[in-house]
């Protein structure tokens, strides 16, 4: 599950107007041709440049996004900024959805006006569904490290952080390691952000648990075993955490990304003593994945959205939300990164681990076969 300050479950429907075609309607035919060109475009240059892309996107007038809570990595402000800049309406569906829900929606709504135009996915789900994506290389493509993108542009990492433990210090002692969570002080208090077979944050929570218990990026069995032990000891809390459950005290310990736990602490300052720790023996970093839906109903807007996200403005907006933008190194060298925001990110000690594509695939397969048995 996405973990946000404001969550909703209502699907925001996309209004679709059917335009009748006839021999006397050249504007409709022109729009249809432009959409066809945009759907095939693998770069802005392929459409004649960024100005032509903007023109085509404005004609479409809308963009469908899914699973983007307003307070997840500052997406609320990012969406507002995109609309203010281009005058394009952003229809946001199912902000509390998981990565797998995004793919399911694309398949179920294929050919319909309400289908998602773009995806923001956990890596495990993204790598299992690349056939759903349309390749596209943004203008700032060369600034993105080769290890953080598909060479053909099918998918691109966007923003990231480190898996952390958020906790209410007024209710539980400060954990110094993941193993500490097996202690009696955490009975009925430890929550995981979603189902690890479907949600990126939960997937990485299990991998971090593996690292913290002697496992490795290539073998996450000890992470699954750890949550099995949490369940048997009564410490595992099978509740998806939300801002409401944290504020009420229902979920006093949460595995989630550091930028989300830190944002939660800032939001609840004066109400809940919410603190964040990245255990030194389990420093797991990960980036989320951006991709364009191959069947996007607004193909030009989908590509313009990517251009905006990977611009200096878009990258700094993610940074404002506490997430580490993928172009950080290049922007630092160019002097365009907001240094004050970057320096304020949570400190991390220890050796960071980033899963390879093969390790992600292996971990996903192991979870699919063993997670339900471990916590059943």
């Amino acid at each position: 599950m996405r973990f946000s300050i404001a969550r909703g479950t209502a699907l925001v429907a996309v209004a679709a107007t059917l335009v009748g075609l006839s021999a006397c309607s050249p504007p409709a035919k022109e729009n249809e041709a432009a959409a066809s060109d945009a759907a095939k475009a693998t770069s802005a240059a392929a459409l004649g440049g960024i100005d032509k892309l903007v023109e085509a996107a404005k004609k479409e007038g809308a963009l469908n996004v899914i699973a983007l809570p307003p307070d997840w990595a500052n997406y609320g402000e990012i969406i507002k900024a995109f609309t203010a800049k281009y005058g394009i309406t952003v229809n946001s569906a199912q902000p509390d959805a998981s990565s797998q829900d995004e793919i399911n929606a694309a398949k179920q709504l294929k050919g319909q006006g309400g289908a998602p135009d773009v995806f923001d996915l956990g890596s495990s789900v993204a790598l299992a569904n690349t056939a759903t994506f349309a390749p596209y290389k943004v203008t700032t493509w060369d600034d993105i490290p080769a290890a953080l993108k598909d060479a053909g542009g099918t998918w691109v990492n966007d923003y990231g952080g480190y898996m952390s433990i958020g906790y209410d210090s007024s209710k539980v002692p400060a954990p110094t390691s993941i193993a500490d969570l097996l202690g009696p002080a955490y009975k009925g208090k430890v929550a995981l952000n979603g189902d690890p077979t479907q949600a990126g944050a939960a997937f990485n929570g299990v991998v971090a648990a593996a690292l913290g218990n002697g496992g490795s990026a290539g073998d996450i069995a000890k992470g699954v075993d750890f949550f099995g032990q949490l369940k048997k000891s009564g410490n595992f809390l099978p509740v998806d955490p939300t801002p409401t459950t944290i504020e009420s005290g229902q979920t006093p310990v949460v595995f989630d990304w550091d930028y989300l736990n830190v944002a939660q602490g800032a939001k609840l300052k004066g109400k809940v003593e919410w603190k964040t720790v990245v255990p030194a023996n389990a420093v797991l970093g990960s980036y989320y994945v951006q991709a364009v839906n191959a069947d996007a109903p607004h193909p030009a807007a989908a590509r313009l959205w990517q251009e905006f996200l990977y611009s200096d403005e878009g990258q700094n907006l993610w940074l404002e939300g506490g997430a580490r933008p993928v172009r950080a190194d290049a922007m630092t060298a160019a002097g365009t990164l907001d240094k004050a925001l970057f320096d304020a990110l949570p400190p991390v000690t220890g050796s960071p681990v980033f899963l390879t594509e093969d390790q992600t695939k292996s971990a996903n397969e192991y979870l699919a076969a063993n997670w339900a048995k471990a916590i059943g």
Side-chain angles (χ1 to χ4, degrees):
M1 287 288 177
R2 298 286 189 182
F3 173 60
S4 60
I5 304 302
R7 299 168 75 132
T9 57
L11 175 68
V12 180
V14 179
T17 302
L18 300 178
V19 180
L21 299 179
S22 72
C24 300
S25 55
K29 287 184 177 181
E30 289 173 6
N31 288 343
E32 187 177 286
S36 177
D37 289 343
K40 298 174 184 175
T42 56
S43 68
L47 278 176
I50 194 70
D51 290 343
K52 291 292 186 182
L53 176 60
V54 171
E55 181 182 344
K58 285 185 174 181
K59 284 182 179 178
E60 292 174 350
L63 173 77
N64 299 343
V65 302
I66 185 172
L68 300 185
D71 290 290
W72 176 287
N74 207 31
Y75 263 120
E77 293 305 313
I78 290 171
I79 289 171
K80 288 178 184 177
F82 179 78
T83 296
K85 186 168 189 173
Y86 299 111
I88 295 171
T89 299
V90 177
N91 302 303
S92 181
Q94 295 177 275
D96 61 339
S98 70
S99 293
Q100 187 58 50
D101 289 335
E102 296 183 53
I103 299 299
N104 294 345
K107 292 178 179 178
Q108 292 163 4
L109 298 173
K110 184 176 180 178
Q112 300 180 39
D117 287 305
V118 290
F119 302 111
D120 181 290
L121 303 161
S123 59
S124 60
V125 173
L127 294 175
N129 292 279
T130 55
T132 310
F133 310 152
Y136 185 78
K137 295 184 179 181
V138 293
T139 306
T140 53
W141 179 259
D142 290 343
D143 286 351
I144 303 168
L148 301 178
K149 61 188 178 186
D150 171 66
T154 302
W155 57 264
V156 192
N157 287 139
D158 45 19
Y159 60 88
Y162 294 95
M163 186 49 52
S164 67
I165 300 170
Y167 64 98
D168 184 340
S169 62
S170 70
K171 297 184 181 299
V172 297
T176 58
S177 70
I178 289 178
D180 286 351
L181 301 179
L182 291 169
Y186 301 94
K187 193 172 185 66
K189 293 181 169 64
V190 184
L192 185 62
N193 189 5
D195 179 343
T197 66
Q198 298 187 38
F203 171 89
N204 284 280
V206 175
V207 178
L211 298 178
N213 285 280
S216 68
D219 182 3
I220 67 160
K222 290 188 176 180
V224 175
D225 290 345
F226 169 78
F227 278 96
Q229 292 176 52
L230 273 185
K231 177 70 183 296
K232 290 178 182 176
S233 68
N235 288 14
F236 183 61
L237 182 62
V239 173
D240 285 335
T242 69
T244 300
T245 64
I246 289 174
E247 184 172 359
S248 69
Q250 185 182 359
T251 54
V253 181
V254 175
F255 277 88
D256 212 342
W257 296 115
D258 57 351
Y259 51 90
L260 299 178
N261 271 325
V262 168
Q264 180 68 8
K267 181 72 174 180
L268 294 177
K269 188 175 182 180
K271 298 179 180 179
V272 176
E273 293 299 317
W274 192 255
K275 297 184 178 181
T276 303
V277 61
V278 178
N281 67 336
V283 183
L284 178 68
S286 182
Y287 286 87
Y288 272 78
V289 174
Q290 279 292 320
V292 173
N293 184 0
D295 297 300
H298 309 102
R303 286 156 175 79
L304 184 60
W305 174 251
Q306 301 300 300
E307 293 287 354
F308 181 72
L309 293 179
Y310 290 93
S311 68
D312 289 349
E313 182 180 359
Q315 296 279 289
N316 276 320
L317 281 168
W318 268 325
L319 182 57
E320 190 177 305
R324 294 163 172 81
V326 74
R327 291 182 54 235
D329 289 346
M331 289 174 63
T332 297
T336 56
L337 189 75
D338 190 318
K339 189 175 184 300
L341 290 175
F342 194 76
D343 290 345
L345 294 174
V348 175
T349 58
S351 300
V353 173
F354 291 86
L355 269 62
T356 65
E357 185 172 338
D358 288 343
Q359 288 169 339
T360 297
K361 181 179 179 181
S362 176
N364 208 34
E365 291 172 349
Y366 189 85
L367 280 167
N370 295 282
W371 177 253
K373 291 185 293 185
I375 63 163

